[in-house]
Amino acid sequence: MNPKQRPVPRATALWTVVVTSVAGFMAALDNLVVTTALPSIRADLGGTLEDLEWTVNAYTLTFAVLLMLGAALGDRFGRRRLFVVGLTVFTGASAAAALAPGIGALVAARAVQGVGAAIMMPLTLTLLTAAVPAARRGAALGVFGAITGLAVASGPLVGGSLTEHLSWQWIFWLNVPVGAVLLPLARFRLGESRAPGARLDVPGTLLVSGGLFGIVYGLVNGEGHGWTSPRVLLALVGGAALLAAFVRHGTVARAPMLPMRLFRDRAFLGINAASLLMFLGMFGSIFLLSQFLQTVAGYSPTEAGLRMLPWTGMPLLVAPFAGILSDRIGGRPVVAAGLALQAAGLGLYALVLEPGVSYPAQLPGLILGGLGMALFFAPAASVVMGSVRPAEQGIASGANNALREVGGALGIAVLGAVFAARGGYESGQAFTDGTVPALWIGAAVVALAAAAALMIPSARMPRGGRPVATGPKPPEPGAAAGAAAPARGEPAPAAG
């Protein structure tokens, strides 16, 4: 918060909690709400597997690569002002998606939705932090985290119910009246705040955006166009080169959006590698399983969403206990155990999957995966924030959330490529033949995430027997105030 600002009135703080929580719910919901609508979208608009992948990835990819830029724009030009801009873009793009006459127009609207979410979502936490007094900030962040967590849990169910009882267009129409109500509230009820001296890293944004787009484009189109085709090779090689240039930029630039020196810390490197790999395996699996439940198992969209709740909804029940356990024994064992359970759940699901599989046979894999996801989220956020100095917590939070979204986009591309190589939509058996090896790949990737989590240093055990939490690092001796990048808010809760 700008030190010259007056204390925020209590009513403004309350309105800030309401507006930012609802906006966060919308942005988080759109990560998974589309998954159970994919079969209906395919039946209505047509399109290939690649088109369906881009229906999801166009949102997650633009969201991921522009998230940190959105936070920086708000810091520089005014967080309330940019929040309103992001909310306007998101709401308008939602209407465009609902009105899309074809799959290409839908993908384009989803990409613009991601741009709006990338501006809006990181500013929800900075606005909340600036408006709520420190004594009540924990409760406010708890409300925000619970609501965004509810969005992740209910995404497949909400998408399935709207698709079945209205139409798939209503998963996007839902955002329009909510956005229309939030816009005047945001304009007149939220306080303005800035971070003096905030800088924009336009070269870094262009490098990471182009690099990730190239990699995902190549993976999505590899099976259809051929892995040795010029366009696929150019996308993969060009994307890799741009990402290498982004790493170099983060090493030598004066104020990069993601300083590569942060990855010298084992905790920061381990938890971010684990986050990217976990979302890669999880998102890619949900993309295929939500379609399997309808295309092969014959469930309605609503029934499919309900049957995924043991997986996607488990964090709401278990995550608070996971946070307590992490405080007692340290984050590393809880995160690693959660990822191992997630990998085991995917592997168990792959073992039983066949065209005529019963739901009770699927349930153990769903429950195991849900327990694993629940054990991951709360400790992971704590480890991220404890691995950097206080002045760098905003950058660390933004980087971790961006890497999770990148992992989700890569997961759909990678597991979708495996599915396309081994199966297809021709029959239930063909769909199963493609899904099973993709699930095994997903399980292996999440198992690698568990191994990456073991890079996190163990908690120190004092004589009393309780671990000392790996708290935020103190400022470097002799460092001038403000020498590090300004913090952009409190730790962001997992939004899918």
Side-chain angles (χ1 to χ4, degrees):
M1 175 188 276
N2 190 328
K4 295 181 180 181
Q5 287 180 288
R6 297 176 181 177
V8 178
R10 185 171 182 176
T12 300
L14 180 60
W15 277 114
T16 302
V17 173
V18 172
V19 172
T20 57
S21 295
V22 175
F25 180 90
M26 284 201 307
L29 186 71
D30 271 58
N31 263 324
L32 289 177
V33 73
V34 177
T35 54
T36 42
L38 289 173
S40 297
I41 292 173
R42 183 170 178 266
D44 192 11
L45 300 182
T48 62
L49 172 66
E50 290 85 356
D51 295 321
L52 294 182
E53 291 179 45
W54 279 116
T55 302
V56 181
N57 278 346
Y59 179 82
T60 57
L61 197 57
T62 53
F63 189 7
V65 300
L66 297 177
L67 189 147
M68 296 184 73
L69 178 64
L73 287 170
D75 287 347
R76 183 168 183 176
F77 297 111
R79 292 161 179 161
R80 182 188 65 188
R81 177 184 299 174
L82 266 292
F83 177 82
V84 170
V85 170
L87 181 58
T88 302
V89 171
F90 183 86
T91 304
S94 297
L99 294 169
I103 195 72
L106 177 60
V107 170
R110 288 283 287 166
V112 179
Q113 257 194 319
V115 174
I119 299 172
M120 175 179 69
M121 190 63 177
L123 298 178
T124 56
L125 286 174
T126 48
L127 285 166
L128 191 61
T129 302
V132 179
R136 294 194 292 269
R137 196 171 296 154
L141 289 170
V143 171
F144 181 93
I147 292 176
T148 53
L150 179 63
V152 175
S154 61
L157 178 59
V158 170
S161 298
L162 290 173
T163 300
E164 180 179 351
H165 299 295
L166 295 171
S167 69
W168 65 262
Q169 285 89 347
W170 277 93
I171 65 178
F172 302 114
W173 281 127
L174 178 67
N175 295 326
V176 177
V178 178
V181 171
L182 288 182
L183 279 169
L185 291 176
R187 175 64 182 83
F188 297 108
R189 295 292 184 178
L190 300 185
E192 186 60 282
S193 63
R194 291 178 174 83
R199 297 180 179 180
L200 303 180
D201 182 13
V202 175
T205 301
L206 293 175
L207 288 172
V208 72
S209 301
L212 288 172
F213 178 82
I215 294 292
V216 172
Y217 179 89
L219 290 172
V220 167
N221 292 282
E223 189 64 29
H225 295 288
W227 292 101
T228 58
S229 66
R231 72 169 69 183
V232 171
L233 287 176
L234 179 62
L236 292 174
V237 174
L242 288 173
L243 288 181
F246 174 72
V247 172
R248 171 69 176 167
H249 174 79
T251 304
V252 302
R254 181 180 178 186
M257 62 187 299
L258 181 57
M260 292 298 142
R261 58 179 171 75
L262 295 179
F263 291 95
R264 297 173 189 164
D265 184 275
R266 282 175 52 201
F268 188 82
L269 175 61
I271 194 60
N272 279 288
S275 296
L276 186 146
L277 292 170
M278 186 270 196
F279 271 67
L280 195 159
M282 180 193 71
F283 253 72
S285 300
I286 289 176
F287 173 78
L288 293 173
L289 289 176
S290 62
Q291 296 181 73
F292 174 88
L293 290 173
Q294 297 174 71
T295 303
V296 181
Y299 296 117
S300 70
T302 303
E303 291 170 339
L306 282 170
R307 280 162 175 77
M308 292 188 73
L309 277 179
W311 187 7
T312 60
M314 191 67 72
L316 287 177
L317 301 176
V318 180
F321 302 101
I324 295 171
L325 184 62
S326 175
D327 288 340
R328 293 185 63 85
I329 67 174
R332 183 175 86 158
V334 181
V335 169
L339 292 169
L341 287 173
Q342 176 81 291
L346 290 176
L348 188 58
Y349 212 127
L351 281 174
V352 303
L353 204 66
E354 59 183 10
V357 63
S358 66
Y359 183 66
Q362 302 172 50
L363 203 52
L366 290 169
I367 293 174
L368 208 58
L371 285 171
M373 192 189 305
L375 289 175
F376 170 81
F377 280 138
S382 178
V383 172
V384 169
M385 306 318 290
S387 65
V388 297
R389 296 189 298 273
E392 294 171 327
Q393 287 184 342
I395 292 177
S397 176
N400 185 255
N401 279 276
L403 285 170
R404 291 182 183 190
E405 297 293 333
V406 168
L410 289 175
I412 293 172
V414 171
L415 270 61
V418 174
F419 170 86
R422 300 293 297 273
Y425 289 92
E426 296 80 15
S427 66
Q429 187 60 57
F431 198 98
T432 304
D433 289 343
T435 302
V436 169
L439 288 182
W440 282 117
I441 296 294
V445 169
V446 179
L448 284 177
L454 295 177
M455 296 172 57
I456 301 168
S458 301
R460 301 187 308 273
M461 295 294 294
R463 293 178 184 177
R466 285 190 60 166
V468 175
T470 309
K473 296 183 178 181
E476 291 180 348
R488 290 177 182 152
E490 298 292 328

